[in-house]
Amino acid sequence: MNPLTYLTLAASGVIFVLVADSLAVSAVAWGLCALVALFFSTPRRPFLAANLLGLPAFIGFGLMYAPFGQEPGWWIITRDGLQIALSLGSRFLAATTIGLTIGSFVNLDQLMRTVQPRLPAKLVYVVGATARLLPLARARWLTIQQVRASRGVDVSPLGAKCRMILPLIVGMVDDAATRARPLQRTGIGEPGPRTVLRPVPDTALDWAVRLLAIAALVVGCWWAVH
């Protein structure tokens, strides 16, 4: 599917979970994401990452709300405070899980090619460069490690890793300067519409799925607030 379709599904799911403010809705959303991660390999790591992010959120909400309710419970934990903490924690977990799990299907290259004719070229480049910053930094970090290890340097101690930070920063700055020259020659700053050599298909099915997702979001939010 078109990457905009996955983004629409992810955004619709996140908004509905936040608006619904229901423990049952959050649990169902988390369960659906778990099924997706079970049958597809791509979202498994993002699903695990979302759950790891949800754990400190549950702890934080529990510390902030559980002891300060009005209904006595067990020890210093109050019933209404614990209910609020569980509600907030489950919403955060479900929203994060939906965003990371469904968003993991988005191909960055296809997304950039999809939005290139629709958004200003400079904005598309900034978004694409920001999204690629972490993979580029990771690849250069591994290269620096391999070069030092080939010279017989032990790269496992913390001090050795700290000494690799400066070459990493210098390398990233040099890469940015190297990319800037061909960008200027391609006329990235020139006004006017852009064309894509290999456009990403945006089929009628994609449009139908996006419209259905938005319609379901509107109906679901209306049901939640009523």
Side-chain angles (χ1 to χ4, degrees), residues 182-216:
L183 281 173
Q184 293 175 355
R185 288 194 292 268
T186 56
I188 190 172
E190 299 294 330
R194 262 55 179 180
T195 57
V196 181
L197 180 61
R198 297 180 59 187
V200 180
D202 195 8
T203 62
L205 177 61
D206 288 301
W207 279 95
V209 171
R210 291 200 290 266
L211 291 176
L212 287 175
I214 295 174

Side-chain angles (χ1 to χ4, degrees), residues 13 23 31-32 40 42 50-51 54 56 64 72-73 83-84 87 90-91 94 110 112 131-132 140 172 179 181 203 226:
L23 185 60
L32 292 176
F40 298 94
T42 301
N51 284 274
M64 286 187 292
Q83 184 177 3
I84 294 174
S87 176
S90 62
R91 269 200 299 170
Q110 292 183 356
M112 292 299 101
R132 287 187 174 277
R140 179 161 286 274
M172 296 297 294
R179 290 193 300 270
R181 288 189 290 270
T203 62
H226 289 78

Side-chain angles (χ1 to χ4, degrees), residues 29-101:
W30 183 90
L32 292 176
C33 291
L35 289 177
V36 173
L38 180 63
F39 288 101
F40 298 94
S41 59
T42 301
R44 287 175 186 171
R45 292 182 63 181
F47 177 78
L48 178 61
N51 284 274
L52 292 177
L53 290 173
L55 180 60
F58 271 105
I59 296 175
F61 287 131
L63 294 175
M64 286 187 292
Y65 293 99
F68 305 107
Q70 302 297 325
E71 301 177 6
W74 175 77
W75 193 39
I76 63 172
I77 304 299
T78 59
R79 293 181 181 178
D80 53 340
L82 181 61
Q83 184 177 3
I84 294 174
L86 289 175
S87 176
L88 293 174
S90 62
R91 269 200 299 170
F92 177 85
L93 176 62
T96 306
T97 304
I98 292 174
L100 293 181
T101 303

